[in-house]
Amino acid sequence: MLFQFLPATFVTLLLLAAPAAAFTHPIGIHGRYFIDTVTRQPFFLKGIDYQPGGSSAVTESIDPLSDPNTCARDIILFQELNINTIRVYSINPDLDHDVCMSMLASAGIYLVLDVNSPLQGQHMNRYEPWTSYNEDYLEHVFKAIEQFSGYNNTLGFFAGNEIVNDKKSARNSPPFIKNLIKDMKLYIDAHSPRSIPVGYSAADDLNFRVSLSKYLECTDGSFVDSVDFYGVNTYQWCGEQTFYTSGYDALTLDYEDYVRPVFFSEFGCNAISPRVFEEVSSIFGDEMIGVFSGGLVYEYSQEPNNYGLVEIDDKGAVRLMKDFDYLKVQYTSTEIPTGERIAELYNRGGKGLKLGAQALPECEEEYDNLEITLMVDDSISSKLLKNGVDAKRGRFVTIDDNDLYTTYQIYNTDGTSFDRKYVRVTHLLDEITEYEAIRLKQLSNDSKYP
């Protein structure tokens, strides 16, 4: 039963009674919240962005989720940070990701995956998207969906990251982004074993961020053309600030009426170092949980832009940085909001809190600083949407004990050896039967649309 149909008092009782389970259940969407599709509890992202080696680390033979030894090394540290979600910016869908995704699920960790790749023909040209929006590009996107739809811990897909970031891209890209979202959702509906949310990750530029979010949220009545969630990349909380001095109050107000989940797809200003991440308590605090569904710290590994939590040497050894220790303190001491907490705030008239699904807004003729009149040829995707793509669907596999151990060295910030070299199994891999898959797909669909 979906709680938009229930009175507020019964909603409170339902959320209070919802059981916890040691399974990695699929995540769906109900109104402006992510929810566990089995327990019906709200889900808040507490995680990090993960792309060790940057975009150049994705090749024909390797990506961040293809090497079990590397995955074990990093999942050990994910568990140390007490996170529940990672974002990966690019993968090669022709590689095998079963072991790494199974290990992540066994650790209770979900994945938000960008479907674009730095490899040729696998990303959208922001300035001339009509040159890149072709069948080869969509085949790559659909192959990523095909493979990762087989894992319960695939939380969602990003159709793009900061594609609109200046005046020229704002003139040319928005209709192509919206059409890609539609094509991805149509492919998932036709070929995936369950519904998986599709979103977009936006640059924190006030010229475009809010207007683009409204354009991607609106619908022509089909619902499939509307984004399922919206990510904001923001770095405005620097050092010791507050909810008000950082501007988080205005940021929260920007999305108070958004009808889909919003979260920080990147956060963690590095203007002051080391980063102490005091914004974490606000992101998961009462002032924000009615609007934002958590966030992801940028980023796991130290790259040339100096946002890393760990340093990885050329032999694969990892050394923790001070930022890691500070984030660990914040993430470990901050409680994830529960259904009980949300219901209490709702019953007190908490700001921005909406438990039921809200109607999607109808599309307007224009949006500030965006050009939305360019037409996209729907025939480009028609063949692939009908026939599917030739890709191996991922599946959970039995993990050998050796897979849980890493041969790489891990060092603390003081240079001493980290005291654990294995992944702790905290969650069971939930094998979904064909009947349950049909039921979960229906539940997800019911959750997604008002």
Side-chain angles (χ1 to χ4, degrees), residues 293-364:
S293 293
L296 307 169
V297 167
Y298 189 82
E299 65 179 319
Y300 176 71
S301 57
Q302 181 75 326
E303 309 296 341
N305 55 9
N306 294 316
Y307 281 92
L309 302 172
V310 306
E311 288 184 318
I312 305 174
D313 68 19
D314 56 5
K315 295 181 179 179
V318 169
R319 182 180 68 84
L320 308 188
M321 302 175 68
K322 290 183 179 180
D323 286 22
F324 183 99
D325 290 339
Y326 280 114
L327 183 61
K328 175 184 173 181
V329 169
Q330 292 291 341
Y331 270 172
T332 302
S333 62
T334 299
E335 294 184 1
I336 294 290
T338 62
E340 175 184 7
R341 181 172 166 193
I342 292 171
E344 288 175 353
L345 290 174
Y346 176 81
N347 290 332
R348 296 205 312 260
K351 189 174 183 180
L353 284 158
K354 298 178 178 67
L355 288 185
Q358 307 295 308
L360 290 169
E362 294 182 3
C363 290
E364 300 174 6

Side-chain angles (χ1 to χ4, degrees), residues 40-250:
R40 313 304 287 170
Q41 280 285 306
F43 182 88
F44 286 76
L45 289 77
K46 183 171 71 169
I48 59 175
D49 298 308
Y50 178 68
Q51 194 75 31
S55 59
S56 62
V58 177
T59 69
E60 297 296 333
S61 59
I62 192 89
D63 70 25
L65 299 176
S66 64
D67 177 45
N69 192 21
T70 300
C71 289
R73 178 197 67 190
D74 295 337
I75 293 171
I76 290 166
L77 296 178
F78 297 165
Q79 291 183 311
E80 191 71 10
L81 286 172
N82 195 31
I83 67 173
N84 63 17
T85 308
I86 62 170
R87 174 189 183 179
V88 173
Y89 290 83
S90 55
I91 52 87
N92 181 345
D94 293 326
L95 300 178
D96 191 327
H97 303 100
D98 288 351
V99 175
C100 285
M101 288 299 291
S102 299
M103 276 197 286
L104 284 167
S106 296
I109 297 173
Y110 289 84
L111 168 71
V112 184
L113 179 65
D114 290 64
V115 296
N116 293 282
S117 155
L119 299 179
Q120 185 175 0
Q122 297 182 0
H123 54 273
M124 190 181 297
N125 182 327
R126 60 167 48 89
Y127 298 128
E128 297 179 337
W130 51 87
T131 66
S132 59
Y133 204 89
N134 52 45
E135 192 169 299
D136 288 341
Y137 168 63
L138 290 176
E139 182 178 16
H140 165 76
V141 171
F142 295 160
K143 285 173 72 174
I145 291 172
E146 186 71 38
Q147 182 174 93
F148 283 84
S149 67
Y151 307 117
N152 281 4
N153 57 330
T154 298
L155 188 155
F157 297 109
F158 275 125
N161 179 65
E162 299 190 359
I163 295 175
V164 172
N165 65 357
D166 57 19
K167 290 182 178 180
K168 185 176 181 180
S169 58
R171 286 197 305 268
N172 296 331
S173 291
F176 286 85
I177 298 170
K178 195 170 181 69
N179 205 79
L180 178 60
I181 290 167
K182 181 184 71 172
D183 280 343
M184 290 173 64
K185 292 173 69 169
L186 287 172
Y187 189 90
I188 290 169
D189 286 345
H191 299 285
S192 295
R194 63 181 176 91
S195 291
I196 303 173
V198 176
Y200 178 79
S201 178
D204 190 12
D205 188 325
L206 283 177
N207 290 313
F208 318 111
R209 171 170 54 77
V210 175
S211 58
L212 183 62
S213 72
K214 292 180 178 179
Y215 172 61
L216 296 182
E217 176 191 36
C218 78
T219 181
D220 62 6
S222 67
F223 302 117
V224 75
D225 59 336
S226 174
V227 75
D228 293 325
F229 62 86
Y230 199 72
V232 178
N233 298 339
T234 182
Y235 297 90
Q236 63 189 59
W237 186 310
C238 298
E240 296 183 356
Q241 293 193 290
T242 69
F243 176 71
Y244 296 99
T245 63
S246 65
Y248 268 32
D249 58 334

Side-chain angles (χ1 to χ4, degrees), residues 353-417:
L353 284 158
K354 298 178 178 67
L355 288 185
Q358 307 295 308
L360 290 169
E362 294 182 3
C363 290
E364 300 174 6
E365 292 185 358
E366 59 182 37
Y367 291 86
D368 291 344
N369 302 318
L370 302 180
E371 174 58 59
I372 61 171
T373 59
L374 290 175
M375 302 298 292
V376 184
D377 183 1
D378 280 334
S379 67
I380 295 172
S381 61
S382 58
K383 180 180 175 182
L384 294 174
L385 289 175
K386 179 180 179 180
N387 300 327
V389 295
D390 183 14
K392 170 184 168 290
R393 178 169 295 163
R395 64 183 183 89
F396 287 151
V397 295
T398 301
I399 303 171
D400 187 276
D401 287 346
N402 291 329
D403 290 328
L404 299 173
Y405 286 79
T406 184
T407 63
Y408 290 117
Q409 295 298 315
I410 304 174
Y411 300 99
N412 295 305
T413 52
D414 62 4
T416 59
S417 293

Side-chain angles (χ1 to χ4, degrees), residues 3-16:
F3 47 85
Q4 77 262 36
F5 300 125
L6 304 177
T9 53
F10 190 75
V11 168
T12 304
L13 294 174
L14 175 65
L15 292 173
L16 281 167

